[in-house]
């Protein structure tokens, strides 16, 4: 297993601004992912954070809106850009145990956009 | 891509076994079934996975039918802390992606 921390745990932001969420893992992992969970909904995969290369985005998510960095094997950031109230969600990062589909999730960042 | 179907909600008395069903009739021969749960205000938690044989770990048991078209997650002695949304997932083959459906909301009552 892996221990994952996220910063900030929650934030309230004004529309039009940007927020960067950090994800730190206590061990080196190959695969890191970012998810969004809108109020009352299930999780939606935003992108796979690739170390040393551009993130791979899922349909409906674009780099200009959700730029992702992965400078090393233990750290990643997700930025929510030019926020609107529709971006109010919980954002979660996860890591995968190599060779399996076992993913371990961070506690999430609760974002409210006013 | 195998899709899964789960009942939206279930109740279970504390101390009893909770049996959560999942249908995955389009699963292919080399696709695994994974179970996760999400307790309120927390990130999802991995529970168990299996291919064709029944599996057991310290958290739960997974029973997969012989034709692999359905499975059941069993929590042998449910506690109040098992109240959560349970997700049955068949990952996209040859990818690392987990696609979360709507899951089953399990309510354990005293």
């Amino acid at each position: 297993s892996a221990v994952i921390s996220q910063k900030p745990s929650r934030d309230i932001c004004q529309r039009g601004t940007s927020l960067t969420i950090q994800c730190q893992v206590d061990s080196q992992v190959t695969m890191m992912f970012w998810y969004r969970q809108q109020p009352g909904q299930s999780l939606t995969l935003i992108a796979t954070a690739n170390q040393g290369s551009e993130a791979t985005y899922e349909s409906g998510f674009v780099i200009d809106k959700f730029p992702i960095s992965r400078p090393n094997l233990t750290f990643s950031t997700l930025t929510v850009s030019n926020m609107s109230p529709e971006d109010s969600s919980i954002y979660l990062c996860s890591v995968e145990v190599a060779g399996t589909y076992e993913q371990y999730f961070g506690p999430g960042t609760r974002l409210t956009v006013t | 891509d195998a899709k899964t179907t789960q009942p939206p909600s279930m109740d279970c008395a504390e101390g009893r076994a909770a049996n959560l069903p999942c249908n995955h009739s389009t699963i292919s021969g080399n696709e695994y079934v994974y179970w996760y749960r999400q307790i309120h205000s927390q990130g999802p938690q991995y529970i168990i996975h299996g291919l064709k044989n029944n599996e057991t770990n310290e958290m739960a048991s997974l029973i997969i039918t012989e034709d692999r078209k359905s499975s059941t997650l069993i929590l042998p002695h449910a506690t109040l802390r098992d109240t959560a949304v349970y997700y049955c997932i068949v990952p996209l083959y040859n990818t690392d992606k987990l696609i979360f459906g709507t899951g089953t909301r399990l309510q354990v009552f005293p």
Side-chain angles (χ1 to χ4, degrees):
Chain A
S1 64
V3 178
I4 304 160
S5 59
Q6 287 185 233
K7 291 181 181 179
S9 59
R10 60 177 62 227
D11 207 340
I12 300 173
C13 302
Q14 292 191 337
R15 69 175 66 207
T17 63
S18 298
L19 177 71
T20 296
I21 302 167
Q22 299 179 6
C23 178
Q24 180 75 53
V25 190
D26 68 343
S27 58
Q28 292 187 345
V29 293
T30 304
M31 305 299 293
M32 292 184 75
F33 304 90
W34 286 97
Y35 290 82
R36 179 176 73 181
Q37 188 168 30
Q38 295 176 301
Q41 303 296 313
S42 183
L43 283 79
T44 300
L45 180 63
I46 297 173
T48 302
N50 301 309
Q51 196 266 328
S53 64
E54 196 171 280
T56 305
Y57 290 85
E58 297 300 306
S59 175
F61 298 95
V62 295
I63 187 171
D64 290 346
K65 177 66 175 177
F66 297 102
I68 289 171
S69 78
R70 177 95 189 268
N72 56 51
L73 293 176
T74 63
F75 186 79
S76 178
T77 67
L78 168 74
T79 299
V80 186
S81 304
N82 188 26
M83 288 183 285
S84 68
E86 292 71 36
D87 295 319
S88 297
S89 295
I90 299 173
Y91 292 86
L92 302 106
C93 69
S94 74
V95 302
E96 184 178 274
V97 174
T100 76
Y101 289 105
E102 294 178 39
Q103 289 191 16
Y104 294 90
F105 287 78
T109 296
R110 184 179 295 273
L111 171 62
T112 302
V113 183
T114 60
Chain B
D1 303 339
K3 295 184 179 178
T4 62
T5 305
Q6 300 177 252
S9 64
M10 295 182 65
D11 290 339
C12 180
E14 190 176 20
R16 297 291 188 123
N19 299 290
L20 293 93
C22 178
N23 288 322
H24 32 78
S25 58
T26 60
I27 195 170
S28 67
N30 48 11
E31 290 179 325
Y32 284 76
V33 180
Y34 276 72
W35 284 82
Y36 285 77
R37 73 179 182 183
Q38 186 174 26
I39 296 170
H40 184 62
S41 297
Q42 298 182 21
Q45 176 188 23
Y46 164 80
I47 301 174
I48 199 168
H49 72 278
L51 182 62
K52 60 176 80 172
N53 299 319
N54 298 337
E55 302 288 345
T56 297
N57 64 19
E58 65 278 3
M59 290 184 66
S61 295
L62 176 61
I63 308 298
I64 302 174
T65 59
E66 192 168 342
D67 63 6
R68 303 208 329 116
K69 293 184 177 181
S70 65
S71 60
T72 301
L73 180 75
I74 301 172
L75 308 178
H77 305 287
T79 72
L80 298 179
R81 289 175 294 179
D82 292 321
T83 293
V85 178
Y86 287 77
Y87 297 98
C88 169
I89 302 172
V90 177
L92 296 177
Y93 180 66
N94 221 24
T95 76
D96 296 291
K97 300 179 184 178
L98 294 180
I99 306 300
F100 285 79
T102 53
T104 296
R105 184 173 300 275
L106 175 68
Q107 179 70 53
V108 181
F109 57 91

